[in-house]
Amino acid sequence: MSLVLRNAQRAVAVRRAPLRRAVCALRASLGASRFHLALVCAGNGLMRRLNGIYRRCPTPTDVLAFPAHPLRAGELPRPRPGEEEEDNNLGEIFLGVEFIQEQCKESGEELHGVLVV
């Protein structure tokens, strides 16, 4: 299924192709490649706003996930019989790449290596 990858920030240069390959490999290994997924690379401002709205903690963070369907911890999504293909949506994941880059500078790690892990 589709993977929408959007870079909604300008603070950090993001290598989209390796990130796309890593996310596609992860979805395949989890058996979720039949699901749609949106991945947004966000700056600290957007992450701060989202975190404030949904978690009442207006600080930037590394990742926020908004699943399309409720799942229990450790549960993997499965297509439901009779469901239309467009209903197979995992949801949205926001990567705080600016925040992650700051963490990488502190720890001496390379951003693009961390993103694809």
Side-chain angles (χ1 to χ4, degrees):
M1 289 292 164
S2 67
L3 170 63
V4 175
L5 179 56
R6 180 169 179 244
N7 188 3
Q9 55 82 46
R10 295 183 188 265
V12 178
V14 176
R15 296 181 191 152
R16 293 170 51 138
L19 185 55
R20 178 179 292 280
R21 282 192 299 272
V23 172
C24 287
L26 177 63
R27 284 187 343 178
S29 69
L30 293 174
S33 57
R34 294 180 55 199
F35 287 85
H36 303 290
L37 176 65
L39 181 67
V40 179
C41 296
N44 282 346
L46 177 56
M47 294 303 280
R48 189 178 294 114
R49 284 192 304 277
L50 291 171
N51 215 14
I53 292 167
Y54 293 101
R55 298 183 65 226
R56 294 181 177 47
C57 180
T59 58
T61 187
D62 55 352
V63 66
L64 290 169
F66 301 96
H69 304 285
L71 294 173
R72 293 187 202 128
E75 184 179 29
L76 296 176
R78 297 285 175 233
R80 294 183 196 110
E83 250 189 5
E84 295 296 322
E85 201 171 278
E86 58 268 6
D87 292 334
N88 290 338
N89 184 6
L90 285 177
E92 299 86 27
I93 298 173
F94 287 78
L95 288 179
V97 292
E98 188 175 356
F99 186 84
I100 295 169
Q101 183 181 46
E102 292 166 4
Q103 289 178 321
C104 287
K105 285 179 182 177
E106 290 174 9
S107 66
E109 296 178 277
E110 198 270 325
L111 172 70
H112 295 98
V114 169
L115 283 181
V116 298
V117 170

